[in-house]
Amino acid sequence: MDTKLVRDFKKICSDGYALGWHERNGGNLSYRMKDCEVEEVKDLLNEDAEWREIGTEVPDLKNEYFMVTGSGKYFRNVELDFEDNVAIIRVNEDGTKYKIVYGLINGGKPTSELPTHLMNLEVLKKRDEGLRVVYHAHPANTVALTFVLPLDGEIFTREIWEMETECPIVFPKGIGVVEWMVPGGRDIAVKTCEIMKTQDVAVWYHHGIFVTGHDFDEAFGLMHTVEKAAEMLVKVMSMSDRKVNTITPEGFRKIAVDFKVDLDERYLYEKTSDRIGER
Ligand code: 13P
Ligand code: ZN
């Protein structure tokens, strides 16, 4: 299969691998296909495949098609052998089952995080029909911060925003955080969905990040921006537990006006401490 969608899907996998975010089979990727993209490949799809349980319900995604990475598959290998590592799946009439209509030619199943991907894509579709990508990676700096920053989305967002002027412009809705949980099931999917109802970034403590975007570039760029800011925060914290200078709430409000973004005031609290991670 060689369509623009397939080429874009391969590119994000390779780019994420090159940045060290996908050790072994770490991370996964899903995309809610447009009708025209399904039409383009419809002769290659096996509609006779067996139905399998999703493990949750996504009624608003009934009959839709998704491109997803396989469970246990390495991002490194997606561009080398797409058909072995990626699947196109179709969700059934009531949103409880899926079938593999293309790919995973040597067996296997879609990512173990399929419940999170599909439930997020359902929530995101309601929020904005154009949000089609859900991308999960294991970037080291962001994950490292989950061991030293409190489990608090407001603090996490504020500390990351302060590291790069661009951050509040790229993700004005901030970052949501999920406490450490066993991955791969419905419970962590439900928690992540709560965040995706209003925000584009969810950090899973001691695990990784989920982001969404209208296309692969947007999702990748968002992941990259969060992780770059996290890298700078890790560097700062390796020098000191305090910031001597930083961007002030007033500075963020000026950015909001000039760049025409709404910044939630809950992230712009007046700090009473210069120690990183304290309010
Ligand atoms: P999968 O190989 O099943 O996609 O799992 C990788 C992962 O990152 C789980 O969170
Ligand atoms: Zn993971």
Side-chain angles (χ1 to χ4, degrees), residues 32-101:
R32 182 167 56 83
M33 293 172 71
K34 297 175 185 166
D35 289 347
C36 59
E37 289 161 340
V38 176
E39 191 57 35
E40 207 181 349
V41 297
K42 93 169 186 306
D43 293 344
L44 300 172
L45 306 183
N46 170 23
E47 294 290 349
D48 298 329
E50 73 195 68
W51 291 107
R52 306 169 186 209
E53 298 291 332
I54 298 172
T56 187
E57 324 76 51
V58 284
D60 289 337
L61 298 181
K62 66 176 181 186
N63 296 323
E64 292 210 55
Y65 292 79
F66 302 84
M67 192 173 279
V68 291
T69 48
S71 186
K73 300 294 186 178
Y74 294 22
F75 267 48
R76 173 73 183 96
N77 293 335
V78 168
E79 70 162 338
L80 303 174
D81 192 348
F82 183 80
E83 279 73 15
D84 177 40
N85 293 287
V86 177
I88 295 176
I89 61 168
R90 181 184 186 171
V91 169
N92 73 345
E93 188 60 45
D94 66 3
T96 59
K97 295 188 173 68
Y98 73 89
K99 63 182 176 186
I100 298 172
V101 295

Side-chain angles (χ1 to χ4, degrees), residues 25-28 70-73 111-113 136 138 183 204 207:
N25 64 309
N28 24 75
S71 186
K73 300 294 186 178
T111 171
S112 57
E113 307 294 0
H136 169 55
H138 296 171
W204 282 7
H207 184 143

Side-chain angles (χ1 to χ4, degrees), residues 1-270:
M1 190 178 278
D2 184 26
T3 62
K4 179 171 182 338
L5 172 59
V6 171
R7 289 192 292 274
D8 289 347
F9 195 99
K10 286 179 181 173
K11 177 168 167 271
I12 184 174
C13 291
S14 298
D15 289 352
Y17 173 76
L19 288 173
W21 301 343
H22 300 287
E23 76 292 342
R24 205 174 180 278
N25 64 309
N28 24 75
L29 175 65
S30 64
Y31 175 81
R32 182 167 56 83
M33 293 172 71
K34 297 175 185 166
D35 289 347
C36 59
E37 289 161 340
V38 176
E39 191 57 35
E40 207 181 349
V41 297
K42 93 169 186 306
D43 293 344
L44 300 172
L45 306 183
N46 170 23
E47 294 290 349
D48 298 329
E50 73 195 68
W51 291 107
R52 306 169 186 209
E53 298 291 332
I54 298 172
T56 187
E57 324 76 51
V58 284
D60 289 337
L61 298 181
K62 66 176 181 186
N63 296 323
E64 292 210 55
Y65 292 79
F66 302 84
M67 192 173 279
V68 291
T69 48
S71 186
K73 300 294 186 178
Y74 294 22
F75 267 48
R76 173 73 183 96
N77 293 335
V78 168
E79 70 162 338
L80 303 174
D81 192 348
F82 183 80
E83 279 73 15
D84 177 40
N85 293 287
V86 177
I88 295 176
I89 61 168
R90 181 184 186 171
V91 169
N92 73 345
E93 188 60 45
D94 66 3
T96 59
K97 295 188 173 68
Y98 73 89
K99 63 182 176 186
I100 298 172
V101 295
Y102 185 84
L104 291 178
I105 51 170
N106 296 310
K109 53 185 183 146
T111 171
S112 57
E113 307 294 0
L114 192 65
T116 295
H117 280 267
L118 291 181
M119 287 172 71
N120 283 342
L121 285 165
E122 186 182 43
V123 160
L124 292 163
K125 182 183 169 190
K126 264 183 233 164
R127 200 180 113 190
D128 172 352
E129 173 76 30
L131 287 169
R132 295 182 173 275
V133 179
V134 170
Y135 177 34
H136 169 55
H138 296 171
N141 293 287
T142 306
V143 176
L145 288 177
T146 68
F147 293 89
V148 293
L149 290 183
L151 182 75
D152 180 324
E154 292 173 12
I155 292 176
F156 207 98
T157 299
R158 176 67 175 275
E159 296 293 355
I160 291 282
W161 274 6
E162 285 182 13
M163 300 319 299
E164 210 177 2
T165 303
E166 216 182 333
C167 285
I169 304 162
V170 176
F171 47 102
K173 300 180 191 80
I175 297 171
V177 297
V178 177
E179 72 269 28
W180 184 86
M181 293 176 76
V182 176
R186 191 173 180 281
D187 292 350
I188 198 162
V190 169
K191 290 261 179 172
T192 313
C193 281
E194 275 309 306
I195 293 169
M196 290 292 178
K197 275 181 191 163
T198 55
Q199 297 174 292
D200 300 336
V201 188
V203 171
W204 282 7
Y205 266 48
H206 323 319
H207 184 143
I209 311 183
F210 272 84
V211 295
T212 185
H214 294 86
D215 55 35
F216 296 112
D217 278 345
E218 202 178 75
F220 187 84
L222 178 53
M223 183 77 77
H224 204 178
T225 308
V226 173
E227 173 60 5
K228 175 83 181 288
E231 182 181 349
M232 287 188 271
L233 186 53
V234 168
K235 288 183 199 293
V236 169
M237 292 180 89
S238 69
M239 293 184 279
S240 170
D241 64 345
R242 285 155 215 274
K243 290 175 185 163
V244 176
N245 307 295
T246 190
I247 305 171
T248 61
E250 218 25 62
F252 285 119
R253 291 187 190 102
K254 284 184 187 156
I255 290 174
V257 173
D258 281 15
F259 288 86
K260 297 180 182 47
V261 286
D262 278 330
L263 298 183
D264 196 326
E265 279 292 317
R266 71 193 169 111
Y267 301 120
L268 304 182
Y269 50 84
E270 285 302 327

